Amino acid sequence: MVASVVVGRGGRGPWQRTPVVPVSRFVMGVDLGQSNDPTAICVIHHTVTPTGDWTLSYGDHIRPNVSRERGETRFDVRALERVPLGTPYPQVVARVGELLNRPPLRDGCDLVVDETGVGRAVSDIFDSAGMRPQRVAITAGNEITNPESRRWHVPKSHLISTVDARLHVGELRFAAELTDAGALAEELKDFRRTVSAAGRASFNAREGKHDDLILSIAIALWWASRPRTSGGQAAVSGFY
Protein backbone atom coordinates (compact mmCIF):
# COMPACT_ATOMS: atom_id res chain seq x y z
CA MET A 1 0.00 0.00 0.00
CA VAL A 2 1.26 3.47 -0.90
CA ALA A 3 0.07 6.24 1.41
CA SER A 4 0.48 10.00 1.53
CA VAL A 5 -0.04 11.74 4.86
CA VAL A 6 -1.82 15.00 5.62
CA VAL A 7 -0.54 16.04 9.05
CA GLY A 8 -3.00 17.50 11.53
CA ARG A 9 -3.41 17.63 15.27
CA GLY A 10 -4.15 14.51 17.29
CA GLY A 11 -4.18 11.18 15.51
CA ARG A 12 -5.46 9.18 18.47
CA GLY A 13 -8.78 7.46 18.52
CA PRO A 14 -10.79 5.70 15.81
CA TRP A 15 -10.12 5.99 12.10
CA GLN A 16 -12.66 6.36 9.34
CA ARG A 17 -11.40 4.19 6.52
CA THR A 18 -12.87 4.86 3.08
CA PRO A 19 -11.94 2.24 0.45
CA VAL A 20 -12.87 2.56 -3.20
CA VAL A 21 -15.67 0.24 -4.29
CA PRO A 22 -14.99 -0.98 -7.85
CA VAL A 23 -17.42 0.09 -10.57
CA SER A 24 -17.93 -1.43 -14.02
CA ARG A 25 -21.05 -0.48 -15.93
CA PHE A 26 -22.16 0.43 -19.44
CA VAL A 27 -24.22 3.41 -20.61
CA MET A 28 -25.64 3.87 -24.11
CA GLY A 29 -26.42 7.37 -25.36
CA VAL A 30 -28.70 7.87 -28.37
CA ASP A 31 -28.98 11.28 -30.04
CA LEU A 32 -32.14 10.97 -32.13
CA GLY A 33 -31.79 12.63 -35.52
CA GLN A 34 -34.27 14.65 -37.50
CA SER A 35 -34.69 15.27 -41.23
CA ASN A 36 -31.27 16.89 -41.65
CA ASP A 37 -29.34 15.15 -38.87
CA PRO A 38 -28.52 11.46 -38.50
CA THR A 39 -29.08 9.48 -35.31
CA ALA A 40 -25.91 8.68 -33.36
CA ILE A 41 -25.34 5.85 -30.88
CA CYS A 42 -22.56 5.76 -28.30
CA VAL A 43 -21.61 3.14 -25.70
CA ILE A 44 -19.46 4.17 -22.74
CA HIS A 45 -17.84 1.76 -20.30
CA HIS A 46 -17.54 3.50 -16.92
CA THR A 47 -15.03 2.00 -14.51
CA VAL A 48 -13.66 2.93 -11.11
CA THR A 49 -10.62 0.89 -10.05
CA PRO A 50 -9.00 0.91 -6.59
CA THR A 51 -5.33 1.92 -6.82
CA GLY A 52 -4.12 0.81 -3.37
CA ASP A 53 -2.90 4.37 -2.83
CA TRP A 54 -4.21 5.92 0.38
CA THR A 55 -4.28 9.44 1.77
CA LEU A 56 -4.11 9.69 5.57
CA SER A 57 -5.54 12.74 7.31
CA TYR A 58 -5.22 13.12 11.10
CA GLY A 59 -8.13 14.77 12.85
CA ASP A 60 -8.59 16.43 16.20
CA HIS A 61 -11.17 16.44 19.00
CA ILE A 62 -13.85 17.38 16.43
CA ARG A 63 -12.76 15.82 13.17
CA PRO A 64 -12.05 12.08 12.88
CA ASN A 65 -8.87 10.56 11.50
CA VAL A 66 -9.50 9.58 7.88
CA SER A 67 -7.77 7.21 5.49
CA ARG A 68 -9.15 7.50 1.97
CA GLU A 69 -8.21 5.29 -0.96
CA ARG A 70 -7.68 6.80 -4.36
CA GLY A 71 -9.54 5.37 -7.34
CA GLU A 72 -8.86 5.53 -11.06
CA THR A 73 -11.93 6.64 -13.00
CA ARG A 74 -12.30 5.97 -16.72
CA PHE A 75 -15.05 6.57 -19.26
CA ASP A 76 -14.10 4.51 -22.33
CA VAL A 77 -16.10 4.99 -25.52
CA ARG A 78 -16.38 1.41 -26.76
CA ALA A 79 -18.79 1.91 -29.65
CA LEU A 80 -19.82 4.89 -31.76
CA GLU A 81 -21.92 4.85 -34.89
CA ARG A 82 -24.21 6.91 -37.07
CA VAL A 83 -27.46 5.44 -38.29
CA PRO A 84 -27.98 6.35 -41.97
CA LEU A 85 -29.85 9.60 -42.48
CA GLY A 86 -33.57 9.08 -43.03
CA THR A 87 -33.76 5.75 -41.20
CA PRO A 88 -37.31 5.39 -39.77
CA TYR A 89 -37.48 5.61 -35.99
CA PRO A 90 -38.81 2.07 -35.51
CA GLN A 91 -35.66 0.82 -37.29
CA VAL A 92 -33.51 3.01 -35.06
CA VAL A 93 -35.19 1.47 -32.01
CA ALA A 94 -34.62 -2.00 -33.46
CA ARG A 95 -30.91 -1.23 -33.97
CA VAL A 96 -30.59 -0.04 -30.38
CA GLY A 97 -32.34 -3.19 -29.19
CA GLU A 98 -29.97 -5.32 -31.27
CA LEU A 99 -26.94 -3.67 -29.66
CA LEU A 100 -28.38 -3.99 -26.16
CA ASN A 101 -28.89 -7.72 -26.70
CA ARG A 102 -25.21 -8.29 -27.45
CA PRO A 103 -22.68 -9.17 -24.75
CA PRO A 104 -21.61 -7.51 -22.55
CA LEU A 105 -24.49 -5.00 -22.81
CA ARG A 106 -27.18 -7.65 -22.39
CA ASP A 107 -25.92 -8.17 -18.83
CA GLY A 108 -26.80 -4.59 -17.95
CA CYS A 109 -26.66 -1.23 -19.74
CA ASP A 110 -28.37 2.07 -18.94
CA LEU A 111 -30.04 3.68 -21.95
CA VAL A 112 -30.22 7.48 -22.29
CA VAL A 113 -32.09 9.07 -25.21
CA ASP A 114 -32.01 12.68 -26.41
CA GLU A 115 -35.59 13.54 -27.33
CA THR A 116 -34.99 17.30 -27.70
CA GLY A 117 -36.08 17.74 -31.29
CA VAL A 118 -38.25 14.70 -31.84
CA GLY A 119 -40.58 14.81 -28.85
CA ARG A 120 -42.12 12.23 -26.56
CA ALA A 121 -43.81 10.20 -29.26
CA VAL A 122 -40.50 8.91 -30.61
CA SER A 123 -39.17 8.08 -27.14
CA ASP A 124 -42.42 6.24 -26.49
CA ILE A 125 -41.36 3.72 -29.15
CA PHE A 126 -38.44 2.73 -26.92
CA ASP A 127 -40.83 2.27 -24.01
CA SER A 128 -43.14 0.15 -26.17
CA ALA A 129 -40.14 -2.05 -26.98
CA GLY A 130 -39.54 -2.55 -23.25
CA MET A 131 -36.32 -0.50 -23.03
CA ARG A 132 -37.44 2.21 -20.57
CA PRO A 133 -34.76 4.82 -21.37
CA GLN A 134 -33.85 7.91 -19.41
CA ARG A 135 -35.23 10.73 -21.58
CA VAL A 136 -33.20 13.92 -21.92
CA ALA A 137 -34.33 17.27 -23.31
CA ILE A 138 -31.32 19.52 -23.92
CA THR A 139 -31.96 23.10 -22.86
CA ALA A 140 -30.33 26.52 -23.02
CA GLY A 141 -30.81 27.05 -19.27
CA ASN A 142 -28.46 26.69 -16.32
CA GLU A 143 -30.12 24.06 -14.13
CA ILE A 144 -30.69 20.32 -14.40
CA THR A 145 -34.27 19.41 -13.56
CA ASN A 146 -36.15 16.12 -13.24
CA PRO A 147 -39.81 17.03 -13.87
CA GLU A 148 -41.00 13.43 -13.79
CA SER A 149 -39.76 9.87 -13.66
CA ARG A 150 -37.09 9.12 -16.30
CA ARG A 151 -37.37 12.61 -17.82
CA TRP A 152 -34.60 15.20 -17.51
CA HIS A 153 -33.95 18.74 -18.68
CA VAL A 154 -30.19 19.22 -19.00
CA PRO A 155 -28.38 22.40 -20.13
CA LYS A 156 -26.25 21.92 -23.23
CA SER A 157 -23.48 23.92 -21.56
CA HIS A 158 -23.36 21.35 -18.75
CA LEU A 159 -23.20 18.42 -21.18
CA ILE A 160 -20.37 19.90 -23.24
CA SER A 161 -18.39 21.15 -20.26
CA THR A 162 -18.54 17.62 -18.79
CA VAL A 163 -17.07 16.21 -22.01
CA ASP A 164 -14.39 18.90 -22.02
CA ALA A 165 -13.45 18.34 -18.37
CA ARG A 166 -13.24 14.54 -18.65
CA LEU A 167 -11.13 14.86 -21.79
CA HIS A 168 -8.82 17.36 -20.10
CA VAL A 169 -8.00 15.06 -17.17
CA GLY A 170 -7.69 11.98 -19.37
CA GLU A 171 -10.72 10.15 -17.99
CA LEU A 172 -12.67 10.15 -21.28
CA ARG A 173 -10.96 7.86 -23.79
CA PHE A 174 -11.81 6.54 -27.25
CA ALA A 175 -11.19 3.04 -28.56
CA ALA A 176 -8.90 3.07 -31.59
CA GLU A 177 -11.25 0.86 -33.63
CA LEU A 178 -14.37 3.08 -33.35
CA THR A 179 -16.49 2.89 -36.50
CA ASP A 180 -17.03 6.64 -36.78
CA ALA A 181 -13.79 7.91 -35.25
CA GLY A 182 -13.04 10.01 -38.32
CA ALA A 183 -16.48 11.62 -38.30
CA LEU A 184 -16.09 12.39 -34.59
CA ALA A 185 -12.76 14.10 -35.23
CA GLU A 186 -14.44 16.31 -37.83
CA GLU A 187 -17.30 17.14 -35.45
CA LEU A 188 -14.87 18.16 -32.74
CA LYS A 189 -13.12 20.51 -35.16
CA ASP A 190 -16.42 22.05 -36.29
CA PHE A 191 -17.87 22.43 -32.79
CA ARG A 192 -17.55 25.90 -31.29
CA ARG A 193 -18.42 27.95 -28.25
CA THR A 194 -19.98 31.39 -28.62
CA VAL A 195 -20.86 33.99 -25.98
CA SER A 196 -23.83 36.33 -26.34
CA ALA A 197 -23.86 40.02 -25.46
CA ALA A 198 -25.54 39.03 -22.19
CA GLY A 199 -22.60 36.76 -21.36
CA ARG A 200 -24.40 33.46 -21.94
CA ALA A 201 -22.35 30.74 -23.62
CA SER A 202 -23.78 28.45 -26.29
CA PHE A 203 -22.28 25.40 -27.97
CA ASN A 204 -23.15 24.40 -31.51
CA ALA A 205 -21.75 22.89 -34.66
CA ARG A 206 -20.82 25.29 -37.41
CA GLU A 207 -23.52 25.99 -39.97
CA GLY A 208 -24.10 22.99 -42.19
CA LYS A 209 -22.20 20.64 -39.86
CA HIS A 210 -23.40 17.96 -37.42
CA ASP A 211 -22.98 17.45 -33.69
CA ASP A 212 -24.89 14.18 -33.28
CA LEU A 213 -21.86 12.07 -32.31
CA ILE A 214 -20.72 14.59 -29.70
CA LEU A 215 -24.19 14.79 -28.18
CA SER A 216 -24.58 11.00 -28.00
CA ILE A 217 -21.29 10.89 -26.09
CA ALA A 218 -22.29 13.87 -23.93
CA ILE A 219 -25.60 12.44 -22.69
CA ALA A 220 -24.05 9.02 -22.00
CA LEU A 221 -21.15 10.64 -20.15
CA TRP A 222 -23.50 12.88 -18.16
CA TRP A 223 -25.51 9.89 -17.00
CA ALA A 224 -22.41 7.83 -16.21
CA SER A 225 -20.93 10.74 -14.22
CA ARG A 226 -23.96 11.16 -11.95
CA PRO A 227 -23.52 10.03 -8.33
CA ARG A 228 -24.84 6.55 -7.63
CA THR A 229 -26.09 4.96 -4.43
CA SER A 230 -23.51 2.16 -4.82
CA GLY A 231 -19.98 2.15 -6.11
CA GLY A 232 -17.26 4.72 -5.60
CA GLN A 233 -16.34 4.97 -1.93
CA ALA A 234 -17.90 3.67 1.26
CA ALA A 235 -16.74 4.73 4.71
CA VAL A 236 -15.87 2.15 7.38
CA SER A 237 -15.27 3.35 10.94
CA GLY A 238 -13.16 1.61 13.56
CA PHE A 239 -9.67 1.34 15.06
CA TYR A 240 -6.88 0.69 12.54
Side-chain angles (χ1 to χ4, degrees):
M1 179 187 76
V2 179
S4 57
V5 180
V6 178
V7 179
R9 295 179 296 170
R12 299 178 179 178
W15 281 82
Q16 185 180 78
R17 185 171 179 268
T18 309
V20 169
V21 179
V23 171
S24 178
R25 63 167 179 151
F26 290 90
V27 179
M28 178 183 290
V30 181
D31 179 59
L32 292 167
Q34 301 180 67
S35 58
N36 297 321
D37 293 299
T39 291
I41 302 172
C42 164
V43 176
I44 284 180
H45 185 202
H46 172 212
T47 59
V48 179
T49 306
T51 63
D53 184 8
W54 294 75
T55 296
L56 310 181
S57 179
Y58 293 108
D60 51 28
H61 63 285
I62 297 176
R63 296 171 299 178
N65 304 310
V66 177
S67 62
R68 187 180 302 275
E69 187 178 19
R70 291 191 177 98
E72 183 178 78
T73 300
R74 293 288 182 265
F75 300 92
D76 291 304
V77 179
R78 298 297 191 191
L80 186 66
E81 69 173 68
R82 271 184 175 147
V83 179
L85 188 65
T87 300
Y89 291 125
Q91 292 184 26
V92 171
V93 174
R95 174 58 178 164
V96 170
E98 176 189 350
L99 294 172
L100 291 174
N101 281 325
R102 294 180 181 177
L105 304 188
R106 68 185 179 195
D107 295 325
C109 178
D110 293 343
L111 176 62
V112 189
V113 173
D114 171 20
E115 64 176 16
T116 307
V118 299
R120 293 190 175 195
V122 176
S123 295
D124 286 344
I125 304 176
F126 287 92
D127 276 359
S128 297
M131 297 183 197
R132 294 182 58 80
Q134 299 293 329
R135 304 177 179 207
V136 172
I138 300 175
T139 71
N142 297 311
E143 294 184 1
I144 297 173
T145 60
N146 181 203
E148 57 186 274
S149 177
R150 296 189 295 111
R151 181 162 277 111
W152 302 84
H153 295 166
V154 185
K156 193 171 189 178
S157 59
H158 179 83
L159 292 173
I160 301 305
S161 63
T162 299
V163 172
D164 189 49
R166 299 293 186 179
L167 277 172
H168 184 74
V169 298
E171 292 179 350
L172 177 60
R173 307 185 301 182
F174 301 91
E177 66 276 11
L178 289 177
T179 304
D180 279 296
L184 175 63
E186 291 300 315
E187 277 195 17
L188 289 170
K189 287 194 298 184
D190 291 325
F191 206 75
R192 61 181 179 179
R193 176 179 182 268
T194 57
V195 181
S196 68
R200 175 170 292 182
S202 61
F203 302 82
N204 293 286
R206 296 180 189 275
E207 187 175 354
K209 302 296 183 179
H210 300 294
D211 59 6
D212 50 286
L213 294 172
I214 294 175
L215 291 179
S216 70
I217 293 169
I219 60 174
L221 181 62
W222 165 72
W223 186 255
S225 300
R226 294 180 67 254
R228 288 168 59 93
T229 55
S230 62
Q233 290 187 323
V236 180
S237 297
F239 287 86
Y240 298 96

